[in-house]
Amino acid sequence: MTRDAVKNRLHRLIGHDSLHFWDIEDHIDLLAALPEETREEVFRQIMAIWPVSYALCFAFLNQLAKGLNCLQIDQLAAWVNATLDVYENSGLQAASRFLAEVENNFACKLRGTPGLTLEEARGRLQPYLTGLAGYEIAISTGVAAYTDTTTIFLAPEISTFDAKEQNFLLYKLTTTIQWAFIANGLFRLSIPSDGPLLAPLPSKSKPGRAVENLRLLDFCALFPQPKLARDVLLLAETVRATAFLHRELPGLMRDFAPLCEQLNQLRPALSSLSGPDQFVEQLKQWVISGTRNGNWSRKEVDPGIFDLCHPASLTDPAASVRNSAAFTIAIYGELGRSHLDYRGTPPIPYAGVLKPRQAEQAGKKRREESKKLFIQALAAYLPESKSEVQKTLIPPAAQPPARQGEQEQTAVIPPGRKKESTDSPPPPDLLSPQTFITLDDEELQLPESLQPLLREIANDLGHIPPEYISSASQRAGHGRIKGSAGPSDEAETPTGTSAICYDEWDFRRSGFRKNWCTLLEKELQPATGTFIADTMHKYRGQLRRLRRQFEMMRSQQCFVKRQRDGDDIDLDAVIETHADLAAGLPVSERLYIRLLRDRRNINTIFLVDMSSSTEGWVLTAIKESLVLLCESLSMLGDQYAIYGFSGMKRSRSELYHIKHLDEPYNDTVRNRITAINPMDYTRMGPPIRHASNLLANRDATTKLLITLSDGKPEDYDDYKGDYAIEDTRHALIEAKNRGIHPFCITIDRHAHDYIAHMYGEVNYIVIDKVEKLPGRIPQIYRNLTA
Amino acid sequence: MTKTSEKIAEHRITEEPFYLPQCNELQIAEAAYRNGLPILLKGPTGCGKTRFMHYLAWNLARPLVTISCHDDLSTSDLVGRYLIKNGEAIWTDGPLTAAVRAGAICYLDEIVEARKDTTVVIHPLADDRRELPIEKTGELLTAPPEFMLAISYNPGYQSVLKDLKQSTRQRFVAMEFTYPPPDLEAKIIGKEAGIDQPTAHSLVKLAKMTRSLKDAGLQEGASTRLLIHAGKLIASGIQPRVACRATITETLTDDHELLAAIDEMASSIL
């Protein structure tokens, strides 16, 4: 192909306005030189990237030569797909980097190297972690492993070992260890600033001002080289956490043991290091070897270091984070004599790094959140009459608290911990008993919904601060929210809008654009008017007929005769048998009658197109048919919902609530139907996916999703043409895969050929005359459900 | 009638079932029995409701008639019906009627599975009348003092359709059953499955983890019954992780990621 032909082709693909020829000038030669087949594939990929990001498309062209060097033509699409995923998750820069390092990031994976990405492992890791912790801790990507107490950050990929399973094991151990750090109280470190523990520290490093208790962040700041202190403290904690895991999760440690050797072989050689670096590296290798069997022996390390460490003081089940602090002070004292700076060697992969500042910030944020939630939930739970009484939370076995004269009247103690436990929290018990609340002399069990929250707070602070309870008791009665009292009840949430993200199918890359559309659930302001009355009057004859038809569908129960067993005797059959017997004929055993009940168990969601193109007759017809439908359905008792949809661009796909599944058909619903008005555009994917979600969670045997629209899906942005048709089609296929029967009713003068493709052969009907619609819809519904 | 009592005699429990009380459930149930009150057991599946009924029946020395309810259970399945035998219509008692006549304990398991109109026949039995009208024969059967009615259901299935009507539930003395506390549960598993306490404790730990996944994808966590199954396989020499996979992981879910996650839990613990 000549340069000009390539240029023209690109112009056609991309459009003149957005393309300056100097942008692509450099690439034209490359494209022109490619074999025909490859060039066509590249053009196809350009079409996939261009609508997502122009800049990314240029980055793609820049790296194309490199990519073609190490990829086959048929791998090009997968490469672009992976790039787009990176772009949508982490932005342009990350995607450009991804493109640039095609060999490391992509090609090696295609060849089946054993590396494991966090995305691959997450599906297994996240529920595992939730089960382990008993509450939700998020998993996210970070450069080195660490935790800020609400999230555990893990490397985006692990390729340390030769097998995927082993790499997964490293992910699993890392997650477990990070959880153990949280659960064993590393982040709850609290040392009295004038206590004996800090005595060995040179006085100048002690805080000048009176700080009552040093928290983790303050503690690390005491040392002239905080990084060294953090690393040593984390090593001590790793020993403690590993010992804990050997006790609690022996299976995991047994599985991991063979890998410790390999991990140590990957460590830097001690001879290449000096001063504190060498010392700490030696400690790290010793910690890794000890991970194997939970026994940190003298053999593996310098005897001098071993004597300093006293691993027994860390592996003891009663050891606390204070022992680790003492360990840190001792080791630091030893190292402080050397005047070399500490640079540090790579962290132990599963222990990662310690980031006290992040933990402090996340902890503060979470404490505020859980405090709010806890107070709200407890306030809603506490009986109003008790709101003035002092409340004490105690474990069931504990003594009734001395309420008078003591300062801590409202102290709250979580399961398994004594009040003093902030000083030396015992290792967390995986099987802690339930907590009770004592109001005056009555013992009330806390509702199950509060347990995870309570656990979380206890884990965070080591105890439950008394003000949590006193605030709750003040709010008791006032804070009660109607309905359930679960922590999910947010009084502050503005009603009517909630945003949910949905993926969108991009056929050009045969993949999803992740979290591409935002769907907002909105309330439709009910409007009054004569519309309903007019419609009822206009169709009064038809309505009477429809009602009768629907009434006949109602639980068609009937007696079935001549059954082998049943509720009653079928007299006809018995008489016949007698006659047969007398005549010497073989007799039937089918002598009973049974009542057969046809239980309808149908859930239906109607999605109504509220785009501007429906304005006028079409929308009126749709509204009228909704009225007829609702009137007929009220005869039947099937559960159904009606939502209108419209919106503009992917950030504002709107779903208007007209009737929920459990809502009765009443005047408010009628007024909402009256209020249906043409809005903006038709982006069909998000509402279909949302409705499928709603239906998928229902307990019905038949689930129907009926869409009413007036033609092609189309939005203001690039949601049009094939893209829109394919996304809609895919959303419907997803629904079908979830056990939902989608059915689409299109009001259009002509049955276009794309419709069969979009909706699937038998799942649609085209109504060419608008005025027929109101009569047809109830009929269609009847046929679908009969 | 002798035939009925013979049949009922089969339901007598001759050996003491193994049951460790969690709380004061036995005292409450016995007090209810002495006062002629019916009982309602609620709790998740496999936490010991049915075993408790066996234990109670053994303690009270009454036969136990258990009826597993299903949505096709009709009134005549409970009360009885006419059958044609040798050209004659002969009345045959249903299990409920038989239990009332013999003064047995009638236990309707998973009562919410039965249709609501079926549930209503137990109403006159469950209040102070303690009588069972048999419509078809015109008989009004009054329950002897030894008769007891018990029902169970699992409030975990939060479905509008599967809820117990107030008019039914407000006739009963209700007792909530949960999974036993860890030590007790380990003891139960140890005894039932014949495994040592450390293994039993590990199983309990695994169950605890799956139970905290209850709202994160699982409908319910592993029940004590599942743990006993796992324990039994382990006692028969099946490798612990394999046993957990077969009895716990695979029974809880079909979701691949959750399967993998529960496997990871099991392999961490065992």
Side-chain angles (χ1 to χ4, degrees):
Chain A
M1 204 184 244
T2 63
R3 288 180 47 101
D4 282 344
V6 170
K7 208 191 275 184
N8 283 337
R9 180 73 188 278
L10 275 177
H11 273 285
R12 262 209 316 284
L13 282 180
I14 295 173
H16 296 272
D17 323 339
S18 39
L19 191 68
H20 302 292
F21 76 95
W22 56 84
D23 288 334
I24 52 163
E25 193 68 12
D26 300 338
H27 309 299
I28 288 179
D29 289 326
L30 171 69
L31 287 172
L34 288 176
E36 175 73 31
E37 197 189 340
T38 315
R39 190 169 44 231
E40 283 308 311
E41 181 63 28
V42 171
F43 282 137
R44 262 198 291 282
Q45 296 315 319
I46 289 176
M47 280 319 293
I49 307 178
W50 186 256
V52 178
S53 156
Y54 302 168
L56 187 64
C57 194
F58 290 125
F60 168 71
L61 287 171
N62 283 329
Q63 303 299 340
L64 184 61
K66 210 194 245 178
L68 289 173
N69 267 340
C70 54
L71 296 175
Q72 307 286 331
I73 305 177
D74 52 346
Q75 291 168 345
L76 211 57
W79 182 42
V80 169
N81 239 335
T83 307
L84 288 170
D85 280 345
V86 174
Y87 174 77
E88 273 150 23
N89 281 326
S90 326
L92 180 63
Q93 282 198 342
S96 306
R97 264 201 308 279
F98 181 87
L99 279 170
E101 291 172 20
V102 54
E103 168 61 34
N104 287 342
N105 285 336
F106 186 72
C108 64
K109 233 167 269 157
L110 282 184
R111 283 194 298 274
T113 48
L116 182 73
T117 64
L118 182 58
E119 285 319 306
E120 289 174 85
R122 186 194 294 274
R124 254 200 282 181
L125 274 183
Q126 183 71 69
Y128 166 74
L129 178 60
T130 309
L132 195 65
Y135 61 98
E136 186 109 355
I137 301 178
I139 289 179
S140 186
T141 46
V143 182
Y146 75 96
T147 176
D148 66 1
T149 72
T150 54
T151 306
I152 290 178
F153 294 86
L154 300 169
E157 186 182 355
I158 293 185
S159 48
T160 315
F161 300 111
D162 297 335
K164 262 198 167 40
E165 260 322 293
Q166 292 176 333
N167 286 323
F168 178 77
L169 206 54
L170 183 53
Y171 262 133
K172 184 176 162 191
L173 180 69
T174 314
T175 312
T176 315
I177 286 257
Q178 299 297 327
W179 163 74
F181 288 155
I182 303 174
N184 280 324
L186 166 57
F187 300 98
R188 292 197 303 270
L189 175 72
S190 148
I191 308 172
S193 57
D194 49 357
L197 198 62
L198 300 181
L201 282 177
S203 54
K204 64 176 171 149
S205 60
K206 286 183 190 166
R209 64 202 163 80
V211 179
E212 227 174 70
N213 275 310
L214 294 180
R215 293 183 56 81
L216 182 61
L217 189 60
D218 315 316
F219 175 75
C220 294
L222 288 181
F223 300 88
Q225 295 194 49
K227 179 171 163 54
L228 178 57
R230 286 201 303 266
D231 282 7
V232 175
L233 177 62
L234 191 68
L235 282 178
E237 278 293 293
T238 308
V239 171
R240 200 162 73 88
T242 313
F244 164 73
L245 294 182
H246 270 287
R247 288 192 301 273
E248 287 291 331
L249 302 173
L252 169 64
M253 301 316 285
R254 204 167 54 236
D255 285 349
F256 193 77
L259 302 181
C260 293
E261 199 78 19
Q262 288 189 49
L263 278 185
N264 254 345
Q265 278 161 12
L266 297 168
R267 302 300 303 175
L270 290 177
S271 52
S272 67
L273 303 164
S274 61
D277 284 349
Q278 190 192 35
F279 187 96
V280 174
E281 179 55 34
Q282 200 179 358
L283 269 184
K284 282 181 181 169
Q285 298 186 11
W286 174 68
V287 169
I288 296 174
S289 340
T291 301
R292 198 176 54 225
N293 51 8
N295 181 16
W296 285 268
S297 69
R298 187 181 272 273
K299 271 195 306 224
E300 313 271 345
V301 77
D302 222 56
I305 298 180
F306 183 82
D307 290 339
L308 267 177
C309 295
H310 298 303
S313 72
L314 297 173
T315 55
D316 189 85
S320 79
V321 64
R322 287 190 171 190
N323 295 77
S324 302
F327 173 94
T328 312
I329 292 168
I331 298 280
Y332 195 93
E334 182 70 20
L335 289 173
R337 287 186 212 132
S338 145
H339 292 288
L340 289 168
D341 271 350
Y342 173 70
R343 282 191 309 273
T345 50
I348 297 178
Y350 53 86
V353 290
L354 183 61
K355 299 198 174 178
R357 191 169 298 278
Q358 272 87 337
E360 183 81 22
Q361 280 162 359
K364 202 185 270 174
K365 200 170 137 202
R366 189 173 70 166
R367 268 194 291 284
E368 262 152 36
E369 261 164 34
S370 44
K371 179 180 175 181
K372 208 171 81 189
L373 281 177
F374 182 81
I375 291 175
Q376 209 171 60
L378 187 62
Y381 174 72
L382 288 178
E384 271 171 69
S385 56
K386 299 282 181 193
S387 58
E388 309 308 322
V389 193
Q390 294 282 18
K391 287 149 196 87
T392 309
L393 212 59
I394 51 158
Q399 292 293 313
R403 277 193 313 278
Q404 296 304 316
E406 268 194 43
Q407 207 191 356
E408 327 235 40
Q409 278 178 334
T410 54
V412 187
I413 306 150
R417 291 215 178 82
K418 291 191 296 263
K419 179 67 190 38
E420 313 82 69
S421 63
T422 37
D423 301 335
S424 59
D429 188 0
L430 285 174
L431 314 161
S432 51
Q434 291 191 305
T435 310
F436 287 76
I437 180 169
T438 305
L439 301 176
D440 229 1
D441 288 328
E442 260 179 79
E443 203 176 63
L444 277 173
Q445 196 182 356
L446 280 180
E448 211 170 286
S449 56
L450 264 175
Q451 296 288 346
L453 203 57
L454 195 67
R455 219 163 134 161
E456 205 178 300
I457 296 169
N459 228 332
D460 206 24
L461 300 175
H463 66 119
I464 297 205
E467 70 264 23
Y468 283 28
I469 302 289
S470 46
S471 302
S473 65
Q474 279 157 18
R475 286 185 54 171
H478 311 289
R480 190 182 294 268
I481 305 149
K482 64 178 176 194
S484 76
S488 57
D489 266 351
E490 287 268 4
E492 292 94 58
T493 319
T495 49
T497 45
S498 56
I500 307 156
C501 288
Y502 283 101
D503 295 349
E504 191 163 279
W505 181 256
D506 186 346
F507 76 102
R508 292 167 303 208
R509 55 195 266 208
S510 309
F512 283 105
R513 290 172 151 188
K514 304 271 160 51
N515 292 330
W516 191 253
C517 305
T518 312
L519 183 110
L520 303 162
E521 241 184 86
K522 288 197 161 180
E523 285 295 323
L524 203 58
Q525 251 346 297
T528 47
T530 55
F531 174 75
I532 300 286
D534 291 349
T535 310
M536 303 271 275
H537 182 74
K538 179 174 165 192
Y539 292 98
R540 58 189 183 279
Q542 198 163 16
L543 204 54
R544 205 175 304 126
R545 205 166 54 244
L546 279 171
R547 277 195 185 140
R548 204 172 49 241
Q549 284 170 349
F550 274 77
E551 208 162 13
M552 275 162 63
M553 285 164 68
R554 193 164 60 185
S555 25
Q556 295 159 324
Q557 46 174 294
C558 56
F559 285 102
V560 277
K561 296 184 145 196
R562 296 176 199 274
Q563 297 295 307
R564 272 181 212 284
D565 59 85
D567 304 321
D568 225 329
I569 293 169
D570 182 350
L571 276 180
D572 292 345
V574 173
I575 291 165
E576 215 166 278
T577 313
H578 269 279
D580 285 348
L581 201 63
L585 294 170
V587 290
S588 166
E589 287 175 354
R590 299 174 174 275
L591 302 176
Y592 300 96
I593 198 166
R594 191 162 62 196
L595 184 63
L596 197 72
R597 284 163 222 256
D598 177 32
R599 284 177 300 277
R600 288 176 68 88
N601 189 2
I602 300 171
N603 280 188
T604 311
I605 291 185
F606 293 94
L607 283 178
V608 180
D609 185 354
M610 281 167 62
S611 62
S612 53
S613 57
T614 57
E615 185 156 15
W617 248 108
V618 176
L619 199 67
T620 314
I622 289 179
K623 283 162 76 173
E624 286 176 353
S625 26
L626 285 181
V627 176
L628 292 195
L629 187 74
C630 290
E631 292 293 335
S632 327
L633 277 175
S634 58
M635 291 282 103
L636 204 55
D638 288 2
Q639 287 198 312
Y640 64 102
I642 305 172
Y643 297 99
F645 67 93
S646 184
M648 185 143 134
K649 296 200 182 169
R650 67 186 179 97
S651 56
R652 188 167 67 83
S653 184
E654 290 165 340
L655 194 73
Y656 295 91
H657 156 224
I658 296 161
K659 179 184 175 303
H660 288 310
L661 275 166
D662 298 320
E663 204 175 340
Y665 176 59
N666 51 24
D667 279 341
T668 325
V669 175
R670 287 189 190 99
N671 290 341
R672 286 201 201 102
I673 294 177
T674 312
I676 294 177
N677 261 317
M679 304 278 188
D680 305 310
Y681 290 86
T682 326
R683 199 183 196 99
M684 290 182 69
I688 292 176
R689 291 193 174 91
H690 186 73
S692 317
N693 263 358
L694 293 178
L695 279 175
N697 293 330
R698 302 290 297 195
D699 181 30
T701 43
T702 311
K703 298 167 184 178
L704 273 174
L705 174 63
I706 299 181
T707 317
L708 267 144
S709 77
D710 69 334
K712 264 194 209 181
E714 191 177 38
D715 201 350
Y716 183 74
D717 50 14
D718 60 352
Y719 196 89
K720 43 176 74 86
D722 286 347
Y723 181 90
I725 290 172
E726 292 298 326
D727 176 57
T728 307
R729 173 180 150 84
H730 206 273
L732 291 170
I733 292 173
E734 286 161 43
K736 215 178 282 177
N737 289 343
R738 300 174 78 174
I740 296 159
H741 303 285
F743 191 86
C744 303
I745 301 169
T746 298
I747 306 141
D748 206 335
R749 277 184 221 295
H750 311 285
H752 297 283
D753 40 357
Y754 70 87
I755 286 181
H757 173 68
M758 183 160 83
Y759 295 144
E761 221 40 75
V762 291
N763 299 320
Y764 71 97
I765 188 166
V766 178
I767 294 179
D768 51 357
K769 290 208 179 77
V770 169
E771 55 275 20
K772 280 201 280 183
L773 184 73
R776 285 304 297 279
I777 289 189
Q779 232 175 45
I780 292 167
Y781 180 83
R782 206 156 54 92
N783 290 342
L784 282 175
T785 59
Chain B
M1 286 311 116
T2 47
K3 222 173 153 208
T4 309
S5 51
E6 263 169 43
K7 258 192 184 162
I8 287 295
E10 293 169 9
H11 294 277
R12 214 170 266 283
I13 293 157
T14 47
E15 270 175 52
E16 179 175 6
F18 171 68
Y19 184 82
L20 294 178
Q22 288 185 31
C23 199
N24 48 7
E25 64 266 35
L26 187 66
Q27 287 92 304
I28 294 177
E30 285 185 340
Y33 177 77
R34 281 194 300 274
N35 288 293
L37 299 173
I39 55 173
L40 157 65
L41 317 181
K42 49 181 172 177
T45 178
C47 71
K49 299 187 294 284
T50 303
R51 179 59 66 88
F52 172 72
M53 283 314 298
H54 279 257
Y55 183 64
L56 177 68
W58 185 83
N59 262 293
L60 298 174
R62 300 308 313 161
L64 176 69
V65 179
T66 304
I67 303 161
S68 300
C69 299
H70 52 84
D71 57 359
D72 245 357
L73 190 80
S74 65
T75 316
S76 35
D77 289 334
L78 285 178
V79 177
R81 56 168 58 96
Y82 278 107
L83 293 177
I84 306 279
K85 274 178 190 160
N86 302 326
E88 268 183 273
I90 294 175
W91 174 257
T92 314
D93 278 343
L96 179 65
T97 314
V100 174
R101 280 195 214 282
I105 298 176
C106 185
Y107 173 49
L108 296 162
D109 201 0
E110 295 293 353
I111 185 84
V112 284
E113 295 293 337
R115 271 202 318 266
K116 292 204 170 113
D117 54 335
T118 307
T119 323
V120 174
V121 295
I122 63 170
H123 280 190
L125 263 180
D127 53 31
D128 59 341
R129 289 173 283 173
R130 283 173 64 82
E131 54 197 26
L132 177 66
I134 305 173
E135 208 183 322
K136 282 181 187 150
T137 58
E139 190 180 359
L140 181 66
L141 205 58
T142 308
E146 300 84 35
F147 171 78
M148 183 183 210
L149 183 66
I151 60 175
S152 78
Y153 89 112
N154 179 354
Y157 307 128
Q158 281 158 344
S159 155
V160 200
L161 300 166
K162 299 258 167 86
D163 202 13
L164 208 52
K165 277 203 296 191
Q166 283 297 325
S167 61
T168 306
R169 58 197 300 162
Q170 290 203 11
R171 288 160 197 264
F172 289 82
V173 174
M175 285 184 279
E176 169 137 37
F177 281 67
T178 51
Y179 304 117
D183 284 334
L184 193 62
E185 192 167 27
K187 241 183 245 165
I188 293 169
I189 298 164
K191 173 80 181 24
E192 286 277 296
I195 51 171
D196 53 27
Q197 279 303 294
T199 316
H201 267 285
S202 309
L203 288 174
V204 172
K205 225 184 277 174
L206 175 61
K208 174 108 182 162
M209 287 185 187
T210 63
R211 286 167 198 167
S212 51
L213 280 183
K214 191 175 169 191
D215 296 317
L218 283 189
Q219 234 176 359
E220 244 171 62
S223 63
T224 312
R225 176 167 45 216
L226 283 191
L227 301 185
I228 293 170
H229 290 177
K232 280 183 174 162
L233 292 198
I234 293 172
S236 319
I238 306 278
Q239 216 252 320
R241 287 183 190 182
V242 178
C244 286
R245 168 99 202 177
T247 53
I248 297 175
T249 315
E250 294 285 1
T251 54
L252 285 180
T253 178
D254 295 322
D255 182 280
H256 284 288
E257 292 190 332
L258 279 175
L259 279 176
I262 300 170
D263 261 352
E264 294 304 335
M265 292 172 192
S267 66
S268 291
I269 292 169
L270 291 160

